[in-house]
Every structure is written in structure tokens, then in C-alpha cells.
Amino acid sequence: MSRSEASTESWIERGLQEIRSDRAGQLSFRTRRRLLLSLGPPHPEPLSPGHRVRAALAILVVREVLPVWAGRHRSRHPHDLIDGARRVLAGTGDVEAVRSAAHRFGASSMGGAPPEHRGALYVGHAAACAAFVAVDDEVLLPDAGVSDAELDSPEDPDLWDCAAWAAAAYAGDLPWTDARSAFDPERNRQLWTWYLTDGIAEARRQLER
């Protein structure tokens, strides 16, 4: 096992302990960020090994929650974004077209929704994020516009990752929303358990194919 693989396994175990002990079953941004970094550093060139695993993971986590979207909408906008992200990952997609489609769909999904529609709204956010990950990778390192502390505990939803939105869709809502929320901590814990085990394992296998 390489040093990076050992680091990834350590962060996976830490994450599993975290979601078991957290009342809401939530995996923190801080732990998730370090786990994603352990898969390989962000690289100026597109589709580095770490980028490829993170993009595959983002696509997989959205696939887990597409039924939530289908329960409310007939359109296939999130599916189309994921298909575009897959093509980018395979080296056959139009990067700028996928980026533009993610921007358009993300903009159309702005605003709130009543509790019964929030899950589908979050799937839309997750799909747009996954497309951005395929094109540009996750936002993992601080720069002039965002600090290390902000990345570890972001208040700006623009800094939330694909998995945060997907978990909210699967669990019925975000864990910190209002009393009318349909949030289910056990479903939240189920999604994060899948993410840390089957999701990451499958994303890493895809890199080896």
C-alpha cells in the first residue's frame, strides 16, 4: 500500500467514526476535504489521477440520488450533466460545453423550495457540482479568494461540494435547516457510509481500468 493509499484509508476510517458518533450522521467538510486531497493533489493539468478519482466519485454520488429528482421532475437535466461529465472524464467530452451547461443549470436552480421539493433541488445542485468537478476538479486549496478555514467550514453554499448536496437530497434536507425540514439522520448516515466505502472504492477502481 502506497503512502497516499494509507492516508486515504486513515481518513476513511476517521470519517466512519465521525458519522457513527454524530447525531445527524454528518461527515464534516474538514474531514471530507482531507480525504479528497489524499486521493491525489490538485494539478494544473486536467484529469490528473487525483482529479479523475474525485470526478468519478462525484458522478457516482449523483447517480445515487437521481431517483429523488425523478420523483419530482420529468426532465433529465441532471442526467444530461452527468453524461457530459462522464464524457469529459473519458476524454471525449466538450469541456466548455459541459461547463456552460453546469453554469446555466446551476443558475436556474437558485433560490429556495418548499420542504417537499428540496430534495430534488439539491440533486440539481449536486449534478451541477459534479460537472464542475469533472471540468475543473474540487475546490480544495486556499487562494486569494478563499481561506483554509473557509474551506474547512464553508458558510457560502458556492463552496459546498457535490457530496454535501447529494447527502441532503438523500436525507430529505440539510441537517441544519428549519423545523419543517424532512431531514432524516439515518438516511444521511447511510449515504455517507456508502460514500466512504462503496463510493470511494468504485471511483478508485475506475481509475485502474
Side-chain angles (χ1 to χ4, degrees):
M1 181 182 292
S2 70
R3 182 177 298 179
S4 64
E5 288 172 331
S7 175
T8 299
E9 296 308 318
S10 174
W11 282 111
I12 288 173
E13 183 54 38
R14 192 174 304 192
L16 289 169
Q17 292 173 3
E18 190 174 291
I19 62 175
R20 283 195 291 264
S21 62
D22 186 73
R23 290 181 62 186
Q26 186 72 1
L27 182 64
S28 68
F29 285 101
R30 183 182 187 280
T31 296
R32 195 157 68 252
R33 178 185 167 211
R34 282 154 181 75
L35 170 60
L36 292 172
L37 281 167
S38 77
L39 298 171
H43 196 275
E45 295 299 317
L47 298 180
S48 65
H51 180 185
R52 292 179 64 84
V53 177
R54 286 185 288 269
L57 180 58
I59 291 167
L60 287 166
V61 76
V62 174
R63 284 177 54 190
E64 286 294 301
V65 297
L66 285 175
V68 177
W69 174 272
R72 289 287 175 185
H73 299 284
R74 292 184 179 180
S75 71
R76 294 181 57 83
H77 297 311
H79 304 71
D80 293 342
L81 282 175
I82 293 306
D83 288 343
R86 285 197 192 102
R87 289 192 293 272
V88 168
L89 196 54
T92 60
D94 184 328
V95 169
E96 290 306 318
V98 172
R99 183 184 285 117
S100 295
H103 273 297
R104 288 195 303 272
F105 186 61
S108 71
S109 301
M110 296 293 287
E116 64 272 17
H117 289 282
R118 288 177 188 166
L121 178 69
Y122 299 150
V123 175
H125 288 314
C129 284
F132 285 129
V133 173
V135 170
D136 296 318
D137 207 345
E138 297 273 12
V139 179
L140 297 171
L141 298 177
D143 58 24
V146 61
S147 70
D148 203 60
E150 287 173 312
L151 290 173
D152 272 351
S153 186
E155 295 183 3
D156 182 352
D158 286 343
L159 294 176
W160 296 356
D161 61 341
C162 171
W165 293 113
Y170 191 82
D173 212 332
L174 295 159
W176 51 79
T177 46
D178 58 66
R180 296 175 62 214
S181 167
F183 175 73
D184 183 336
E186 287 309 311
R187 283 184 62 82
N188 196 44
R189 188 173 287 110
Q190 287 171 17
L191 190 283
W192 286 122
T193 300
W194 170 87
Y195 176 90
L196 289 166
T197 54
D198 296 348
I200 289 176
E202 176 58 25
R204 293 163 86 179
R205 279 194 294 269
Q206 289 185 13
L207 180 64
E208 297 167 0
R209 291 173 188 163

